[in-house]
């Protein structure tokens, strides 16, 4: 059997394979493209294509695809085989540099938010050499960007790469001022922790809500939920363990650094965290991870739910986007060192992030806005919809001292004494953690915790990179023009802290008092997707994103449209699913049970003895009332959604969904869940919460 180091990355056309299979000249030229954003020439592409094809075919591949990330949030692929007719009637396997560099998928069926009318169906995919090609099944997958005929980005990778360049460019300007002239690139590094649920596959298929929408739209709570805190980090069940082992194997072969896995807070909820890598690869890897999780789950008779809120009343799933910036010389610019108070360069980069998060709170909120995530943010299990930043006591004290011109006496790091001699002694971390903050400093990186579990992490990182690039640009402009660098630096840091300290909050973000305080501080609080997304087009946001070269105006307008359209469609599918389930399954089940009860009462009467049959009669009355409520609720919901079908104004539909559709869905659910609570299990048409959440052995 092969060991992990032997098979790790075996399905990836990575640096090792490139080095071994390309000429020295081509290898170096390709490395320059990958490491330094240098343009690639076609002769290099031809040799790379040849090497890729030979390698892929030797690993059993028959096809290739440009693998891209359209605005659907998932990945897309169109497979072409390598075959080409040979003169003798057979075939040869071919793959040219042109095919590697550029593809032309028909783009007409991908969301474009109005950028590309369907008659202009041509779309292009362009090879992204900074993310390695890999083999999935029998197909060589080439990570690519995706754009329209007019050059407008139709995907998430293009703006992500642009935001990484913008960040690098501005960070390099700042580093030059500190004398670091050798830095050629600054790279955003990301490690996304992925939460998910596993449910039994047979049960899944008995629930139209899970099948159509990824979450349960009905369901009374089980007698037990997560209140015992006995699932978090609990012993992993054998079937789940087998799934995780299988998953790790697949991910490792694809060069994905799957590292940490554990049970999460809710029953049946788990987490997987990889070791961080460049923002771009981390995004590709996370998309692949989600796809492979679902595929591997199937093999184990399970279904992996990536929805942000599959179950009411227990925690939903998010994705913690751990983010830092480092130089190509290997320095983490967010590492405070031993004495952060004396590390001015660190303080300046920290200030850049503080300013970025404060100035563009709305863009960060927008970057995680989906119908699914709206159920999670602010529901006391995930950060509120208000963006704030946690720095911890130590760093906050450093900043306060600077702002007030006082001397900072570093907090002594206490030795942990556990009271038993056999246990090792260690120094306590300078600060505790804060799990409630949307944006927390965790030692040498920030953890952006608002991202939804099913979301691509691209959007969050695009906004984060762009906003920080914008702060750094302002800083560089100011400092480059300064007569005395040190004085200008001090002034800048002090002023930034004074202007942006309102975004800093170390307390409990789940507390309602914080929301009041946040309002007093003037922080934004956009509760729902339709509340926040239109602000993508606010002048300050548009100006910044266009100026940083991350989006064009047209692209921004289209993103806004697509995000809202997606929200509208998602909730409308949910509403239709509810009406369907209520009428076709729940009402018939309730009536059948009523009939059984009524028949029992009638049969008892037939015995000719004086029996009250109070239980049966009361329950029939209750169920009958409940059935009326369910039927009325379904009618009402249908009435509300009917006029929305085909309405083009996505903002208006969004508001109606927020104000009318979601409340009507909640009403219908309440009626059905009450009925479920008093209907015999055998009559209920779907597996219940207890079975779903505790049914995996
Ligand atoms: P937690 O304790 O918050 O669950 P971990 O310490 O396990 O988190 O790390 C979470 C993620 O942060 C991992 O994916 C890890 O690779 C990533 N990470 C660690 N250091 C950095 C860094 N400097 N930049 C970006 N991500 C990082
Ligand atoms: Mg974490």
């Amino acid at each position: 059997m092969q060991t992990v180091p032997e098979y790790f990355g075996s399905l990836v056309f990575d640096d090792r394979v490139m080095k071994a299979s390309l000429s020295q000249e081509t290898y170096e030229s390709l490395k320059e493209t990958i490491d330094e954003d240098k343009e690639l020439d076609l002769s290099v592409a031809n040799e790379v294509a040849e090497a890729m094809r030979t390698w892929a075919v030797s690993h059993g591949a028959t096809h290739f695809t440009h693998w891209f990330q359209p605005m659907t949030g998932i990945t897309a692929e169109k497979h072409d085989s390598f075959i080409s007719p040979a003169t003798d009637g057979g075939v040869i396997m071919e793959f040219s540099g042109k095919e590697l560099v550029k593809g032309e998928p028909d783009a007409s069926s991908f969301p474009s938010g109005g950028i590309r009318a369907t008659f202009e169906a041509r779309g292009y995919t362009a090879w992204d050499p900074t993310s390695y090609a890999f083999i999935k099944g029998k197909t060589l997958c080439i990570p690519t960007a995706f754009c329209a005929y007019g050059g407008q980005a139709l995907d998430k990778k293009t703006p992500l790469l642009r935001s990484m360049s913008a960040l690098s460019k501005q960070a390099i300007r700042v580093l030059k001022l500190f004398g670091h002239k050798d830095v050629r690139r600054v790279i955003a590094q990301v490690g996304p922790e992925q939460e998910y649920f596993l449910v039994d596959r047979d049960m899944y298929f008995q629930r139209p809500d899970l099948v159509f929408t990824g979450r349960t739209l009905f369901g009374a709570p089980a007698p037990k939920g997560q209140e015992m805190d006995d699932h978090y980090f609990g012993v992993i069940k054998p079937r789940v363990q087998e799934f995780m082992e299988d998953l790790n194997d697949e991910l490792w072969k694809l060069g994905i650094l799957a590292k940490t896995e554990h049970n999460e807070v809710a029953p049946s909820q788990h987490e997987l965290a990889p070791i961080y890598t460049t923002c771009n690869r981390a995004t590709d890897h996370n998309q692949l991870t989600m796809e492979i999780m679902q595929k591997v789950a199937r093999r184990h008779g399970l279904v992996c739910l990536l929805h942000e809120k599959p179950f009411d009343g227990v925690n939903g799933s998010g994705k913690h986007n751990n983010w830092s910036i480092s130089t190509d010389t290997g320095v983490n610019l967010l590492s405070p060192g031993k004495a952060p108070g004396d590390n001015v360069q660190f303080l300046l980069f920290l200030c850049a992030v503080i300013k970025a998060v404060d100035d563009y709170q709305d863009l960060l909120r927008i970057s995680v806005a989906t119908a699914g995530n709206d159920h999670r943010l602010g529901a006391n299990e995930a950060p509120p919809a208000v963006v704030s930043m946690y720095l911890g006591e130590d760093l906050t004290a450093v900043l306060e001292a600077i702002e007030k011109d006082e001397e900072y006496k570093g907090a002594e790091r206490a030795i942990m004494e556990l009271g038993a001699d056999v246990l090792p002694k260690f120094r306590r971390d300078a600060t505790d953690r804060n799990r409630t903050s949307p944006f927390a400093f965790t030692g040498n990186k920030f953890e952006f915790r608002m991202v939804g579990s099913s979301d691509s992490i691209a959007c969050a990182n695009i906004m984060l990179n762009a906003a920080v690039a914008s702060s750094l640009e302002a800083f560089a402009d100011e400092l480059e023009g300064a007569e005395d660098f040190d004085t200008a630096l001090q002034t800048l840091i002090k002023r930034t802290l004074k202007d942006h300290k309102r975004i800093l909050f170390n307390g409990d973000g789940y507390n309602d008092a914080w929301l009041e305080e946040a309002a007093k501080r003037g922080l934004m609080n956009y509760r729902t997707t339709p509340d926040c997304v239109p602000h993508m087009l606010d002048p300050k946001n548009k100006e910044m994103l266009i100026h940083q070269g991350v989006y064009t105006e047209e692209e921004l307008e289209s993103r806004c449209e697509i995000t809202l359209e997606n929200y509208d469609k998602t909730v409308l599918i949910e509403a239709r699913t509810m009406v369907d389930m209520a009428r076709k399954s729940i009402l018939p089940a309730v009536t059948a049970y009523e009939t059984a009860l009524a028949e029992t009462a009638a049969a008892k009467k037939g015995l000719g003895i004086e029996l009250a049959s109070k239980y049966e009669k009361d329950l029939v009355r209750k169920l009958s009332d409940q059935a009326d409520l369910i039927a009325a609720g379904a009618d009402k919901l249908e009435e509300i959604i009917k006029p929305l079908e085909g309405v083009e104004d996505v903002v208006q539909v969004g508001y109606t969904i927020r104000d009318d559709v979601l409340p009507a869905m909640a009403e219908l659910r309440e009626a059905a869940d009450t009925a479920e609570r008093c209907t015999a299990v055998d009559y209920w048409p779907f597996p219940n919460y207890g079975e779903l959440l505790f049914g995996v052995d």
Side-chain angles (χ1 to χ4, degrees):
M1 213 171 80
Q2 281 191 312
T3 62
V4 180
E6 280 164 352
Y7 68 82
F8 183 87
S10 57
L11 296 177
V12 186
F13 191 75
D14 61 13
D15 201 55
R16 296 172 298 184
V17 191
M18 289 180 200
K19 212 178 219 161
S21 61
L22 298 171
S23 67
Q24 174 94 6
E25 206 187 342
T26 300
Y27 172 75
E28 276 165 16
S29 172
L30 182 60
K31 277 294 271 184
E32 279 184 4
T33 304
I34 295 173
D35 295 339
E36 295 165 39
D37 291 342
K38 290 244 171 78
E39 213 171 301
L40 184 113
D41 74 58
L42 193 63
S43 66
V44 172
N46 276 328
E47 196 185 321
V48 177
E50 176 73 25
M52 253 188 207
R53 197 253 306 142
T54 311
W55 169 81
V57 170
S58 77
H59 282 77
T62 53
H63 286 68
F64 70 92
T65 181
H66 278 196
W67 183 77
F68 57 104
Q69 300 166 29
M71 295 301 296
T72 50
I74 50 173
T75 58
E77 45 197 76
K78 180 186 116 197
H79 299 184
D80 275 300
S81 72
F82 290 118
I83 62 162
S84 178
T87 44
D88 62 1
V91 291
I92 51 167
M93 300 300 250
E94 269 188 349
F95 183 47
S96 69
K98 237 177 89 196
E99 286 173 303
L100 165 64
V101 172
K102 193 183 97 181
E104 289 185 30
D106 183 329
S108 54
S109 295
F110 292 107
S112 74
I115 277 189
R116 181 202 29 67
T118 24
F119 57 84
E120 298 164 332
R122 204 185 277 271
Y124 294 107
T125 49
W127 177 35
D128 166 20
T130 63
S131 187
Y132 297 135
F134 55 90
I135 295 172
K136 210 172 62 177
K138 287 180 176 273
T139 304
L140 169 70
C141 298
I142 301 149
T144 54
F146 177 46
C147 66
Y149 185 66
Q152 306 92 335
L154 290 176
D155 68 346
K156 302 196 177 186
K157 186 188 268 287
T158 308
L160 182 67
L161 291 172
R162 292 173 183 161
S163 75
M164 290 173 73
S165 296
L167 178 65
S168 180
K169 185 170 149 201
Q170 302 306 333
I172 287 172
R173 282 178 68 198
V174 170
L175 286 171
K176 280 218 170 87
L177 295 166
F178 284 93
H180 303 296
K181 304 217 161 63
D182 55 332
V183 174
R184 283 180 301 180
R185 269 181 97 206
V186 169
I187 310 132
Q189 307 282 352
V190 170
E193 300 162 57
Q194 176 73 50
E195 291 178 340
Y196 60 96
F197 280 85
L198 290 175
V199 295
D200 183 83
R201 191 169 144 82
D202 292 337
M203 292 190 206
Y204 169 90
F205 280 109
Q206 291 170 50
R207 302 242 3 167
D209 45 4
L210 285 179
V211 172
F212 293 133
T213 74
R215 74 178 180 108
T216 53
L217 300 166
F218 295 102
K224 181 177 187 234
Q226 63 190 46
E227 56 279 83
M228 297 296 283
D229 294 326
D230 54 356
H231 193 255
Y232 190 56
F233 285 7
V235 177
I236 299 170
K237 291 176 178 166
R239 188 151 149 221
V240 175
Q241 185 65 47
E242 279 165 26
F243 157 84
M244 285 180 174
E245 282 163 15
D246 204 0
L247 175 64
N248 284 336
D249 261 6
E250 292 236 2
L251 295 178
W252 289 336
K253 281 185 203 153
L254 287 167
I256 296 172
L257 295 153
K259 169 89 174 161
T260 311
E261 58 198 18
H262 59 78
N263 286 351
E264 257 300 327
V265 171
S268 271
Q269 192 187 28
H270 313 278
E271 178 181 301
L272 173 76
I275 297 172
Y276 68 95
T277 178
T278 62
C279 184
N280 174 35
R281 281 184 204 159
T283 305
D284 286 356
H285 282 178
N286 183 250
Q287 292 296 123
L288 262 179
T289 301
M290 291 194 284
E291 182 184 322
I292 292 167
M293 276 177 164
Q294 286 168 307
K295 191 181 86 182
V296 173
R298 243 171 274 152
R299 286 210 290 264
H300 293 264
L302 299 164
V303 172
C304 170
L305 302 178
L306 290 166
H307 194 282
E308 284 73 19
K309 192 74 181 173
F311 302 100
D312 221 31
V314 298
N315 274 14
S317 299
K319 189 137 54 187
H320 292 174
N321 189 78
N322 293 272
W323 176 95
S324 68
I325 35 181
S326 70
T327 65
D328 59 346
T329 51
V331 179
N332 178 354
L333 298 170
L334 294 178
S335 179
K338 287 217 165 62
D342 300 331
N343 186 347
V344 202
Q345 183 186 301
F346 161 74
L347 288 173
L348 189 67
F349 277 96
L350 179 66
C351 281
V353 183
I354 295 174
K355 176 175 157 59
V357 175
D358 187 32
D359 284 343
Y360 299 103
Q361 299 159 42
D362 41 1
L363 287 181
L364 290 176
R365 168 67 184 93
I366 289 164
S367 77
V368 300
T370 58
N373 218 15
D374 279 2
H375 296 290
R376 204 175 72 91
L377 299 177
N380 278 345
E381 55 174 273
V386 180
V387 176
S388 69
M389 226 166 143
Y390 169 87
L391 294 182
E393 281 164 38
D394 212 28
L395 212 45
T396 307
V398 172
L399 299 185
E400 273 170 5
I402 294 172
E403 202 203 330
K404 292 185 189 137
D405 252 337
E406 286 166 0
E407 199 191 334
Y408 170 71
K409 295 183 207 67
E412 259 303 297
R413 286 179 59 188
I415 300 271
M416 286 294 264
E417 281 281 7
L418 297 175
D421 288 340
V422 293
L423 296 176
K425 299 191 172 41
F426 49 86
R427 282 195 187 279
R428 197 172 72 182
D429 285 310
T431 50
D432 197 0
R433 284 164 176 258
N434 176 318
R435 292 257 162 216
T436 66
S437 177
F439 202 92
F441 187 67
T442 47
N444 60 2
K445 63 185 189 311
F446 280 98
E447 191 169 336
F448 183 36
R449 301 205 181 105
M450 290 170 89
V451 187
S453 48
S454 66
D455 238 357
S456 158
I457 56 170
C459 300
N461 287 300
I462 292 167
M463 294 308 180
L464 192 49
N465 293 341
V468 175
S470 173
S471 307
L472 290 171
E473 181 179 21
F475 289 1
D477 286 349
E478 185 167 334
L479 295 172
E480 279 168 359
E483 279 183 17
D484 176 48
F485 177 68
D486 290 331
T487 320
L489 188 59
Q490 294 295 338
T491 315
L492 174 60
I493 290 179
K494 257 191 228 171
R495 195 187 65 234
T496 308
L497 292 176
K498 195 159 154 286
D499 290 349
H500 298 286
K501 68 179 172 195
R502 64 171 185 168
I503 197 76
L504 303 179
F505 176 63
N506 287 340
D508 181 359
Y510 293 180
N511 199 319
D512 284 344
W514 163 236
L515 294 184
E516 280 171 37
E517 161 75 14
K520 274 194 216 131
R521 293 189 190 188
L523 299 181
M524 298 162 182
N525 184 3
Y526 296 124
R527 275 253 314 104
T528 70
T529 299
D531 290 327
C532 68
V533 173
H535 291 284
M536 204 190 284
L537 304 177
D538 285 357
K540 80 165 174 74
N541 295 336
K542 239 161 91 165
E543 274 158 29
M544 186 278 281
L545 290 165
I546 293 171
H547 176 73
Q548 292 304 327
V550 173
Y551 286 115
T552 63
E553 180 159 8
E554 192 188 6
E555 286 169 354
L556 264 179
E557 280 165 7
S558 89
R559 304 270 144 163
C560 185
E561 172 101 7
I562 291 170
T563 312
L564 286 168
E565 196 181 21
N566 190 290
Y567 171 87
D568 297 350
K569 284 184 179 164
T570 303
V571 185
L572 290 177
I573 292 172
E574 290 180 348
R576 288 198 295 269
T577 305
M578 284 189 92
V579 172
D580 226 47
M581 287 171 78
R583 289 193 184 142
K584 294 185 187 158
S585 305
I586 297 175
L587 285 171
V590 173
T591 339
Y593 188 43
E594 282 175 66
T595 311
L597 289 165
E599 281 171 356
T600 308
K604 281 186 182 175
K605 206 170 175 191
L607 291 175
I609 41 178
E610 281 296 302
L611 293 171
S613 294
K614 182 170 170 356
Y615 162 71
E616 290 83 358
K617 287 180 194 162
D618 284 353
L619 198 47
V620 169
R621 189 172 300 120
K622 188 166 177 190
L623 284 171
S624 178
D625 290 347
Q626 227 37 57
D628 290 346
L629 287 175
I630 296 168
D635 289 351
K636 180 174 159 191
L637 184 55
E638 190 179 53
E639 209 116 293
I640 297 172
I641 59 172
K642 215 185 261 158
L644 298 178
E645 310 275 341
V647 176
E648 296 226 332
D649 185 343
V650 288
V651 181
Q652 213 43 56
V653 174
Y655 290 156
T656 309
I657 284 174
R658 178 194 63 191
D659 299 334
D660 304 331
V661 178
L662 287 167
M665 283 166 64
E667 221 176 284
L668 173 56
R669 177 175 185 148
E670 179 58 40
D673 290 359
T674 306
E676 186 192 336
R677 283 191 191 92
C678 44
T679 302
V681 180
D682 289 350
Y683 282 79
W684 201 252
F686 322 113
N688 60 34
Y689 264 35
E691 291 161 325
L692 286 168
L693 286 167
F694 295 91
V696 174
D697 48 350

